[in-house]
Amino acid sequence: MAIRILITGGTFDKEYDELQGRLYFKDTHLQEMLRLGRCRLDLTIRTLMMIDSLEMADADRGVILENCRQSPESQIVITHGTDTMVETAQVLGSHLTGKTVVLTGAMIPWAFGSSDGLFNLGSALSFVQALPPGVYIAMNGRCFTWDNVRKNRAAGHFEALRPETARS
Amino acid sequence: MAIRILITGGTFDKEYDELQGRLYFKDTHLQEMLRLGRCRLDLTIRTLMMIDSLEMADADRGVILENCRQSPESQIVITHGTDTMVETAQVLGSHLTGKTVVLTGAMIPWAFGSSDGLFNLGSALSFVQALPPGVYIAMNGRCFTWDNVRKNRAAGHFEALRPETARS
Amino acid sequence: MAIRILITGGTFDKEYDELQGRLYFKDTHLQEMLRLGRCRLDLTIRTLMMIDSLEMADADRGVILENCRQSPESQIVITHGTDTMVETAQVLGSHLTGKTVVLTGAMIPWAFGSSDGLFNLGSALSFVQALPPGVYIAMNGRCFTWDNVRKNRAAGHFEALRPETARS
Amino acid sequence: MAIRILITGGTFDKEYDELQGRLYFKDTHLQEMLRLGRCRLDLTIRTLMMIDSLEMADADRGVILENCRQSPESQIVITHGTDTMVETAQVLGSHLTGKTVVLTGAMIPWAFGSSDGLFNLGSALSFVQALPPGVYIAMNGRCFTWDNVRKNRAAGHFEALRPETARS
């Protein structure tokens, strides 16, 4: 059972530009993270874009949706900036059926020693195998359905809009 | 929905003794790992023992089983050395009902920069929320049921005894 | 023989703000770095400011100079942003006598796993003990006198203006 | 002005063997450490042996001495286990003239995130450039002459036998 990973950028992949002294996107760190996790899953990885999610436009979300639709794998993990992760989840959740899609990201760039990225990646790759078809956000150990989640920007975490039922 | 974490030691928690120049067990790194993962789950953590799993005796497995039985939480993650993780899973799997128990560990100590521990911890905490009651081993992105798994010592990873059905 | 460390900020101490998704200054990482290096020197540490060296004004350099003058220790290490480290070294070099001052910094923030900061700190604390009075810049293993150094911004390193004589 | 680095193993280069669950020596981490430190020195690196310094015999010290004698570079850094670093320094100190030799090592293996190795390496490469000919041990920010140093095994650090004079 293969899993597809779609990369879109986000804090996950922010890198420090030592010539300019600022954060930027170069290459994804996903392969390095999977190697560190000694991940033994059958994965197909595609980089769709490499952007800050604040800059993500409707057209970009269309690209992500189309990639989910055409994916031969029915389990899909998407790495995504946290700022607009909920918006993308809503687009996917209201247009996609028959696949399990889990969006994840990081509060701290992977290139920082203190990143939560590896924890979240392990989490997303597990939820995607175990959950029924649907669109979810997995962050910091928790898993939310696309229509019951928001980012609490002041606190810097994700939370449910209303009490969750059942499982997660 | 709270999750209980039972700590038993294993590679996860091996530390470098700079006076003796060898590996040993001091304190668990679990709290530090959960902080790094910015884990936002409701957790109860108990350290049952702090040993190399090669030294784990039947009595120790009895202690682990008893702790699972008496746990008010029905979702339990156990950190465990990889060498005898399968044996402990078999004891739990054949004596415990009604609870979801996921054993996990690490191939490389957490204190090493290159540890797979954080990835595995994120994975175990996710599988335990999403899987039906049963006893499982979650390592390196994969999840095995207690009666269909072995550690391949030569290769250094876990594998199924026979083709897996359904889910994972 | 005590050494004084003066902290001014710079890349060394840039931190990732997970709520805003940008780099900022909070606290210095110096104590943590010295602990990691198991540094056994007799040190007095003062934080003079916590700024990007591009924002450093003449008045700030006056504060640094005054602190060097009044330092009871004759060996002084200054952590400083690399962008204007040379300018500060020139102010100190042309106004200070009788003390050994070594400026150092980092190309990559300490909070990043890949920082050169610990290497540079070990280097600066060593040069300051071994060199005669004067003002120096120690970066990436090399040591330059204040009047024979520039930052090569395109390449991202420091270099001598003219061939060095003698020692380093 | 080139510097020669001689590698002999020691805690510096201990690695975790994930199949056996113990520490061992594979390859040196020196190149990786120099890359991290963005070291811009002209270096020639030779691996003489890769052993725990407790296993170092007289013949091994003879090899090290001979390599120092024949080195075209007059500045030499030696990475060495801490347990018998003093003994090797004594052999070199009483047989070698005209060269500056600095021995260094680590209390914690480099492969551990918490290693002091990078700090010590930056320190040794700086002392070797700035000190007059002689044999020294540079550890944790301090520098000792070969005939006035011992390892305090209980405390896990190096210290002078008698009050130091002058410089360091």
Side-chain angles (χ1 to χ4, degrees):
Chain A
M1 282 236 292
I3 299 170
R4 177 161 295 237
I5 299 183
L6 301 177
I7 295 166
T8 73
T11 297
F12 233 56
D13 278 328
K14 277 186 193 162
E15 187 91 58
Y16 187 75
D17 174 354
E18 56 186 287
L19 296 187
Q20 303 291 331
R22 55 176 177 70
L23 297 167
Y24 76 127
F25 293 102
K26 203 173 64 175
D27 298 317
T28 179
H29 297 91
L30 203 84
Q31 302 282 10
E32 189 187 336
M33 295 168 74
L34 292 168
R35 199 163 45 238
L36 199 64
R38 280 151 188 73
C39 184
R40 293 185 48 76
L41 295 166
D42 181 10
L43 301 173
T44 302
I45 302 171
R46 291 285 177 274
T47 299
L48 301 188
M49 56 203 79
M50 206 60 173
I51 59 175
D52 190 309
S53 78
L54 287 173
E55 295 165 18
M56 196 176 279
D58 286 353
D60 298 314
R61 295 203 168 83
V63 169
I64 297 172
L65 172 60
E66 202 49 37
N67 268 273
C68 289
R69 276 192 177 132
Q70 297 185 359
S71 164
E73 296 85 6
S74 64
Q75 300 179 337
I76 302 170
V77 165
I78 302 174
T79 66
H80 197 289
T82 59
D83 282 317
T84 69
M85 193 185 281
V86 171
E87 285 84 327
T88 302
Q90 288 166 347
V91 169
L92 301 179
S94 50
H95 291 88
L96 196 68
T97 54
K99 284 176 175 157
T100 305
V101 179
V102 178
L103 291 95
T104 194
M107 296 306 294
I108 298 273
W110 164 250
F112 275 79
S114 59
S115 176
D116 52 336
L118 194 64
F119 182 88
N120 290 336
L121 183 61
S123 175
L125 285 169
S126 302
F127 277 124
V128 86
Q129 294 176 68
L131 292 178
V135 175
Y136 308 87
I137 283 181
M139 282 293 290
N140 306 119
R142 305 187 67 191
C143 191
F144 306 92
T145 51
W146 66 272
D147 56 357
N148 187 23
V149 60
R150 69 169 167 195
K151 182 176 177 187
N152 179 328
R153 283 174 222 286
H157 63 246
F158 286 79
E159 59 194 17
L161 299 173
R162 50 188 183 277
E164 294 160 279
T165 51
R167 185 190 39 78
S168 60
Chain B
M1 284 238 291
I3 299 171
R4 176 160 296 237
I5 299 184
L6 301 177
I7 295 166
T8 73
T11 296
F12 233 55
D13 278 329
K14 278 186 193 163
E15 187 91 59
Y16 187 76
D17 175 353
E18 57 186 284
L19 297 187
Q20 304 291 331
R22 53 177 180 69
L23 297 167
Y24 76 126
F25 293 102
K26 204 172 64 175
D27 299 318
T28 179
H29 297 91
L30 203 84
Q31 302 282 10
E32 189 186 336
M33 295 169 74
L34 292 167
R35 198 164 44 238
L36 199 63
R38 280 150 189 73
C39 184
R40 292 186 48 76
L41 294 166
D42 180 10
L43 302 173
T44 303
I45 302 171
R46 292 286 177 273
T47 299
L48 302 188
M49 56 203 79
M50 205 61 171
I51 60 175
D52 190 310
S53 78
L54 287 173
E55 295 166 17
M56 196 177 278
D58 286 353
D60 297 315
R61 295 203 166 83
V63 169
I64 298 172
L65 173 60
E66 202 50 35
N67 268 274
C68 288
R69 276 191 178 133
Q70 297 185 0
S71 164
E73 296 85 5
S74 63
Q75 300 178 336
I76 302 170
V77 165
I78 303 175
T79 67
H80 197 289
T82 59
D83 282 317
T84 69
M85 193 185 281
V86 172
E87 286 85 326
T88 301
Q90 288 167 347
V91 168
L92 300 179
S94 50
H95 290 88
L96 196 68
T97 54
K99 283 176 175 157
T100 304
V101 178
V102 178
L103 291 94
T104 195
M107 297 305 295
I108 298 272
W110 164 249
F112 275 79
S114 59
S115 177
D116 52 337
L118 194 64
F119 181 87
N120 291 336
L121 183 61
S123 176
L125 285 169
S126 303
F127 277 124
V128 84
Q129 294 176 67
L131 292 178
V135 175
Y136 309 87
I137 282 181
M139 282 292 290
N140 306 120
R142 304 188 66 191
C143 190
F144 306 92
T145 51
W146 65 272
D147 55 357
N148 187 25
V149 59
R150 70 168 167 195
K151 182 176 177 187
N152 180 328
R153 282 174 221 286
H157 62 247
F158 286 79
E159 58 194 18
L161 299 173
R162 51 188 181 278
E164 296 161 279
T165 51
R167 187 190 40 78
S168 61
Chain C
M1 286 238 291
I3 298 171
R4 177 161 296 236
I5 299 184
L6 301 177
I7 295 166
T8 73
T11 297
F12 233 56
D13 278 328
K14 277 186 193 162
E15 187 90 60
Y16 187 76
D17 175 354
E18 57 186 284
L19 297 187
Q20 303 292 330
R22 55 173 178 72
L23 297 167
Y24 77 127
F25 293 101
K26 204 172 63 173
D27 299 317
T28 179
H29 297 90
L30 203 83
Q31 302 282 10
E32 190 185 336
M33 295 169 74
L34 293 168
R35 200 164 42 240
L36 199 64
R38 281 151 189 73
C39 184
R40 293 186 48 76
L41 295 167
D42 181 10
L43 302 173
T44 302
I45 302 171
R46 292 285 178 274
T47 299
L48 302 189
M49 56 203 78
M50 206 61 172
I51 60 175
D52 191 309
S53 77
L54 287 174
E55 295 166 18
M56 196 176 281
D58 287 352
D60 298 314
R61 296 202 167 85
V63 169
I64 297 172
L65 172 61
E66 201 49 35
N67 268 273
C68 288
R69 276 191 178 132
Q70 297 185 359
S71 164
E73 297 85 5
S74 63
Q75 300 179 337
I76 302 169
V77 165
I78 302 174
T79 66
H80 197 288
T82 59
D83 283 317
T84 68
M85 193 185 282
V86 171
E87 286 85 326
T88 302
Q90 288 166 346
V91 168
L92 300 180
S94 48
H95 291 87
L96 197 68
T97 55
K99 283 174 175 158
T100 304
V101 178
V102 178
L103 292 94
T104 194
M107 296 305 295
I108 298 272
W110 164 249
F112 276 79
S114 60
S115 176
D116 53 337
L118 194 63
F119 181 86
N120 291 337
L121 184 61
S123 176
L125 285 169
S126 303
F127 277 125
V128 84
Q129 294 176 69
L131 292 178
V135 175
Y136 308 87
I137 282 180
M139 282 293 291
N140 307 121
R142 304 188 67 192
C143 190
F144 305 92
T145 50
W146 65 272
D147 55 357
N148 188 25
V149 60
R150 70 169 167 197
K151 182 176 177 187
N152 180 328
R153 281 173 223 286
H157 63 246
F158 287 79
E159 58 194 17
L161 299 173
R162 52 187 182 278
E164 295 161 279
T165 51
R167 188 188 39 78
S168 60
Chain D
M1 285 239 289
I3 298 171
R4 176 161 296 238
I5 298 184
L6 302 177
I7 295 166
T8 73
T11 297
F12 233 56
D13 279 328
K14 278 186 193 162
E15 187 91 60
Y16 187 75
D17 175 354
E18 57 185 283
L19 297 186
Q20 303 292 332
R22 55 175 177 70
L23 297 167
Y24 76 127
F25 292 102
K26 204 173 63 175
D27 298 317
T28 180
H29 297 90
L30 203 82
Q31 302 282 10
E32 190 186 336
M33 295 168 75
L34 292 168
R35 199 163 44 239
L36 199 64
R38 280 150 188 73
C39 184
R40 293 186 47 76
L41 294 168
D42 181 10
L43 301 173
T44 302
I45 301 172
R46 292 285 177 275
T47 299
L48 302 189
M49 58 202 77
M50 207 60 172
I51 60 175
D52 191 309
S53 78
L54 287 174
E55 295 165 18
M56 196 177 280
D58 286 352
D60 297 315
R61 296 203 166 84
V63 169
I64 298 172
L65 173 60
E66 202 49 34
N67 268 274
C68 288
R69 276 192 177 132
Q70 297 184 359
S71 165
E73 297 86 5
S74 62
Q75 299 179 338
I76 302 169
V77 165
I78 302 174
T79 67
H80 197 289
T82 59
D83 282 318
T84 68
M85 193 186 281
V86 172
E87 286 84 327
T88 301
Q90 287 167 347
V91 168
L92 300 180
S94 49
H95 290 88
L96 197 68
T97 55
K99 283 174 175 158
T100 304
V101 178
V102 178
L103 292 94
T104 194
M107 296 305 295
I108 298 272
W110 164 249
F112 276 79
S114 60
S115 177
D116 52 337
L118 194 62
F119 181 86
N120 291 336
L121 184 61
S123 176
L125 284 169
S126 303
F127 276 125
V128 84
Q129 294 176 69
L131 292 179
V135 175
Y136 308 87
I137 283 180
M139 283 292 290
N140 306 120
R142 304 187 68 191
C143 189
F144 306 92
T145 50
W146 66 272
D147 56 356
N148 187 24
V149 59
R150 70 170 167 195
K151 181 176 177 187
N152 180 327
R153 282 174 222 286
H157 64 248
F158 287 79
E159 59 195 16
L161 299 173
R162 51 187 183 277
E164 294 161 279
T165 51
R167 187 190 39 78
S168 61

